[in-house]
Amino acid sequence: MVDNPNNIEIKPGDFEPLDKAAGPDNEKIAAPSLTFGQDVWRRLKSNKTAFTSFIVLILLFLMAFGGQALYHQNPNDQEPKYANLPPKIPGVGIHGLNGHINQSGADVDAYKQAGAGSNVHYILGTDYLGRDLLARIMYGTRVSLEIALIATLIDLTIGVGFGILSGWMGGRVDMFMQRIIEILSSIPSLVVMVLMATAFQKTGMASIIAALALINWTTMARLTRAQTLQLKNQDFILAARTLGESAPKIAWKHLLPNLSSVIIIQTMFTIPNAIFFEAFLSYIGIGISSPQASLGTLISDGQKNFQFLPYQMWYPAIVLIVLMLAFNLLGDGMRDAFDPKSKR
Amino acid sequence: MRKYLLKRIFYLFLTLFIVATATFFLMKLMPGTPLQNEAKLTASEKASILAQYGLDKPVWLQYFIYIGGIFKGSLGLSFQFSDQAVSYLIGSRMGPSMQLGGQAMVVGVIFGIILGAVGAIRKDTWADRLATILSILGIAVPSFVLAILLQYYLGLKLGWFPVAGWEGFAYTILPTLALAASPLAETARFIRTDMVDVLSSDYIELAKAKGLSKFGIVYHHALRNSLIPMVTLIGPLAAALMTGSMVVENIFSVPGIGEQFVKSILVNDYPTIMGVTIFYSALLCLLLLLTDIVYGIIDPRIRLSGNGD
């Protein structure tokens, strides 16, 4: 009673035995048990950089694929009299967004000069043919993403299939398949892409996708092969074999789930790579051709006027850089999230 | 070692043979001839021009002539510059490309190592974060965007460097910077990851316990061990430089191979496209072989053997 500061009387009658069945169970795991996916998601969320990149990517995807539903402007509508108008957002007075440009030292309202009414405004300006730049960027981003995603999907299928087959078969087949990879990877990939893109000229998207997919799969194949070699000697695979499971089924049910982290991480680096090469090919003029647009062609078009109208290149370039940054940072985050052993 | 070398050299030739064959037939699939103003030429003029390029023979014979020619160092005649041998074209444009590539590699690798080492030593500080941001930016900003920005802001606006051309060392600075960004970023990332590992290993603890200076530990013990695996990065970096050189040389109008390659693609100069492709592949194959050999020499733990991996 001496140590009781509040002078509370405690009598034996205040206590009663708990019902044992309903009582706390020492064996119970307090936190819900997480699946692998949930665990990865939790770790990814705690990584601020990666999570921000994830949100940015979602926004960019929404802009690219859903933007046209909100912003009704045809990316191919030409309005020659409104060509090369700088960005103008109504009600904003900041130079660079108010439709004014510097013309030999003087501040000029480019919209007035072009004879545009007060209701005409282009949020990101127009290009040399008077096409709405914002609409074109949304459209170009979509084309770039579509190409990169489809190419990555194909490249993933070839790479993973090749890798699993090579690792699983072993022996001579493996030797032969590894030599193929060795030869392919000692050819500068860009040169091959340029060749492919030239060879299938004027087929547009399909040729770029083919060129990208045919070259980039070797890294994926190498990674999956190495992982398959490790996995195939483990007991659970032996058990599946003993039970008479067929090889394709083992690959699908047992190998693939265990390979998933390697595949997902590698994919996160393949996509920005594909985006870069697409932009590169389009930039040098053998990729997407007009009236189609991609980030590469937009940058290439914008570059011509860069000295006088820098916004025409800056905006698509920023979108491309942000896209590459976000994918790379998310990829880094994924690598950490998938590997509980790696400490930052 | 000898057996290994012989095997590697055999594969090198096999690779080049496959590249040559594939490019040859891809180019044969494509439309276009060396004839200019085709409509104005008479039949005999056409025939003589085709004969000059060896295009009058059946495709299989052209193929054997082409492959045979490669062994003699001949890559055929260019379409766009009449009568000019592709091998001469490549040879005369090799200088600027090699100089730019070499400078970019040196600048990129040295600053990359510094950036990566600073990041690893000052892990989780603002210096590390800055180094990481720089290296991620180096990967995310494509070389053509960087080149245009450098050319405009440092070349035109500030006037520090010549905008374009090829007339001396000052002209090499901007293209070198534009090219060096990607090797710099890759090196910095690689060194940082590797050195973080090395710095937490036991022998570094021992060196600390012995009371060595921080610089001594980093320079003598950590960095040297991180540099060994760096050698494997040289192949991919060289490939990236080839990619970069095509646009960077174009933007700064450097008379190099990359610039020629892009031009040839745009005007369908097939012999030059084929020649440059084979040249680039040979260069990369040789570099990969060299790095493997060097790696075996400087890292005693690696034994090069002739029987598989």
Side-chain angles (χ1 to χ4, degrees):
Chain A
M1 290 292 133
V2 186
D3 290 335
N4 192 339
N6 296 333
N7 281 329
I8 298 171
E9 294 268 316
I10 299 172
K11 286 165 286 190
D14 290 346
F15 296 93
E16 56 182 82
L18 268 176
D19 183 7
K20 260 192 184 160
D25 187 352
N26 286 342
E27 299 294 309
K28 199 179 162 199
I29 298 167
S33 104
L34 297 173
T35 62
F36 182 56
Q38 287 168 328
D39 200 29
V40 166
W41 175 240
R42 192 177 55 100
R43 268 197 295 270
L44 193 66
K45 266 198 301 195
S46 64
N47 182 341
K48 266 183 250 152
T49 326
F51 196 67
T52 316
S53 308
F54 184 66
I55 303 286
V56 168
L57 278 182
I58 290 180
L59 291 178
L60 278 172
F61 269 82
L62 282 180
M63 181 198 88
F65 290 94
Q68 273 165 327
L70 291 176
Y71 190 72
H72 307 281
Q73 281 287 347
N74 189 332
N76 292 328
D77 264 355
Q78 298 180 8
E79 201 80 55
K81 59 179 174 170
Y82 295 150
N84 289 329
L85 287 180
K88 180 179 180 184
I89 302 172
V92 178
I94 313 160
H95 187 83
L97 294 174
N98 60 357
H100 288 237
I101 44 167
N102 250 327
Q103 225 164 43
S104 47
D107 193 53
V108 181
D109 188 343
Y111 281 73
K112 228 176 235 166
Q113 220 173 31
S118 58
N119 58 335
V120 177
H121 57 85
Y122 295 95
I123 296 178
L124 292 185
T126 56
D127 70 354
Y128 66 103
L129 288 174
R131 291 175 292 197
D132 186 316
L133 198 60
L134 176 61
R136 279 192 84 65
I137 289 177
M138 291 197 297
Y139 174 63
T141 314
R142 198 180 78 205
V143 171
S144 285
L145 282 175
E146 275 171 2
I147 291 176
L149 292 180
I150 298 173
T152 304
L153 196 69
I154 298 173
D155 150 331
L156 196 120
T157 319
I158 303 177
V160 171
F162 197 95
I164 290 184
L165 194 67
S166 176
W168 181 260
M169 300 294 273
R172 276 169 176 271
V173 180
D174 184 35
M175 268 283 276
F176 180 69
M177 292 176 92
Q178 284 314 298
R179 292 298 91 82
I180 295 180
I181 288 193
E182 231 166 72
I183 289 175
L184 274 179
S185 52
S186 59
I187 304 170
S189 51
L190 186 90
V191 168
V192 183
M193 273 186 244
V194 167
L195 273 181
M196 300 275 301
T198 333
F200 306 123
Q201 245 166 7
K202 310 225 161 48
T203 44
M205 249 166 100
S207 76
I208 299 193
I209 291 175
L212 287 172
L214 273 174
I215 289 312
N216 279 335
W217 58 270
T218 49
T219 323
M220 182 72 88
R222 237 184 237 166
L223 289 172
T224 39
R225 172 184 171 262
Q227 200 74 6
T228 308
L229 282 179
Q230 270 180 27
L231 286 172
K232 78 170 188 182
N233 292 324
Q234 285 185 16
D235 288 341
F236 70 99
I237 299 287
L238 183 67
R241 285 170 104 166
T242 320
L243 289 171
E245 196 81 284
S246 68
K249 232 178 171 177
I250 293 180
W252 185 253
K253 273 178 69 180
H254 300 292
L255 286 177
L256 262 187
N258 281 293
L259 289 170
S260 59
S261 59
V262 175
I263 296 172
I264 293 173
I265 294 166
Q266 181 56 28
T267 308
M268 294 314 295
F269 292 104
T270 312
I271 296 175
N273 213 12
I275 294 175
F276 166 73
F277 274 122
E278 184 279 320
F280 183 90
L281 291 178
S282 300
Y283 175 80
I284 62 175
I286 50 174
I288 293 294
S289 47
S290 61
Q292 276 195 311
S294 80
L295 290 174
T297 55
L298 290 175
I299 292 174
S300 160
D301 283 346
Q303 180 211 346
K304 289 166 198 150
N305 268 331
F306 189 60
Q307 199 178 334
F308 306 107
L309 303 159
Y311 70 90
Q312 285 187 358
M313 194 194 87
W314 266 114
Y315 291 129
I318 287 173
V319 173
L320 178 64
I321 292 170
V322 169
L323 208 54
M324 301 269 295
L325 262 180
F327 268 115
N328 272 300
L329 290 173
L330 182 61
D332 278 349
M334 290 273 224
R335 189 167 41 196
D336 295 334
F338 272 110
D339 184 6
K341 280 169 286 180
S342 86
K343 292 195 201 88
R344 302 246 311 159
Chain B
M1 180 76 186
R2 233 182 83 194
K3 205 176 153 201
Y4 172 80
L5 264 186
L6 284 176
K7 199 181 122 186
R8 284 299 301 264
I9 290 169
F10 168 74
Y11 277 118
L12 195 151
F13 279 108
L14 184 66
T15 308
L16 290 182
F17 173 74
I18 292 172
V19 172
T21 308
T23 36
F24 180 86
F25 286 106
L26 268 180
M27 294 296 131
K28 281 293 153 215
L29 284 177
M30 305 204 303
T33 56
L35 304 174
Q36 281 167 352
N37 306 323
E38 202 174 342
K40 287 184 198 155
L41 297 173
T42 63
S44 70
E45 277 172 333
K46 270 188 203 170
S48 79
I49 291 177
L50 287 180
Q52 184 196 352
Y53 291 100
L55 291 172
D56 52 341
K57 301 182 182 70
V59 172
W60 63 269
L61 193 59
Q62 287 180 35
Y63 172 68
F64 283 112
I65 290 174
Y66 190 74
I67 297 288
I70 292 175
F71 283 100
K72 285 182 269 169
S74 148
L75 293 167
L77 294 176
S78 158
F79 283 180
Q80 58 178 321
F81 307 102
S82 41
D83 301 334
Q84 217 175 77
V86 172
S87 49
Y88 171 77
L89 207 66
I90 293 176
S92 65
R93 284 172 163 266
M94 221 163 89
S97 286
M98 291 290 159
Q99 190 188 344
L100 274 190
Q103 279 177 206
M105 187 78 121
V106 171
V107 171
V109 167
I110 289 178
F111 284 96
I113 289 174
I114 295 174
L115 209 61
V118 168
I121 299 163
R122 300 250 176 272
K123 193 167 169 270
D124 295 328
T125 62
W126 63 269
D128 179 26
R129 249 160 254 142
L130 187 71
T132 312
I133 290 172
L134 275 180
S135 58
I136 288 270
L137 271 179
I139 290 169
V141 181
S143 48
F144 47 93
V145 174
L146 184 64
I148 298 166
L149 296 182
L150 284 175
Q151 185 181 42
Y152 182 66
Y153 289 105
L154 296 189
L156 202 66
K157 268 214 152 151
L158 296 173
W160 291 353
F161 306 104
V163 173
W166 191 254
E167 288 155 43
F169 181 71
Y171 287 81
T172 69
I173 294 173
L174 286 183
T176 302
L177 286 181
L179 272 178
S182 124
L184 190 149
E186 296 281 350
T187 312
R189 266 163 84 97
F190 186 91
I191 289 283
R192 185 191 175 273
T193 321
D194 203 74
M195 256 182 65
V196 167
D197 268 5
V198 170
L199 281 175
S200 62
S201 58
D202 289 343
Y203 69 89
I204 297 291
E205 290 295 318
L206 175 69
K208 273 186 205 161
K210 282 198 318 192
L212 288 188
S213 69
K214 193 142 199 183
F215 176 78
I217 294 174
V218 170
Y219 183 71
H220 288 289
H221 297 281
L223 198 55
R224 290 195 177 192
N225 269 297
S226 297
L227 285 185
I228 295 176
M230 254 296 295
V231 175
T232 54
L233 213 63
I234 289 175
L237 288 188
L241 282 181
M242 287 175 191
T243 312
S245 75
M246 291 187 201
V247 281
V248 171
E249 285 180 8
N250 241 309
I251 290 168
F252 291 102
S253 35
V254 174
I257 298 175
E259 196 231 3
Q260 180 59 58
F261 192 49
V262 176
K263 259 190 209 157
S264 309
I265 293 165
L266 296 178
V267 300
N268 289 348
D269 181 356
Y270 302 136
T272 311
I273 300 178
M274 282 155 74
V276 175
T277 305
I278 293 168
F279 175 76
Y280 272 156
S281 311
L283 199 66
L284 189 66
C285 282
L286 267 178
L287 261 176
L288 288 175
L289 178 61
L290 277 178
T291 49
D292 278 1
I293 294 171
V294 170
Y295 196 39
I297 293 171
I298 59 173
D299 191 344
R301 285 168 301 185
I302 307 281
R303 287 275 161 266
L304 302 176
S305 65
N307 29 354
D309 22 308

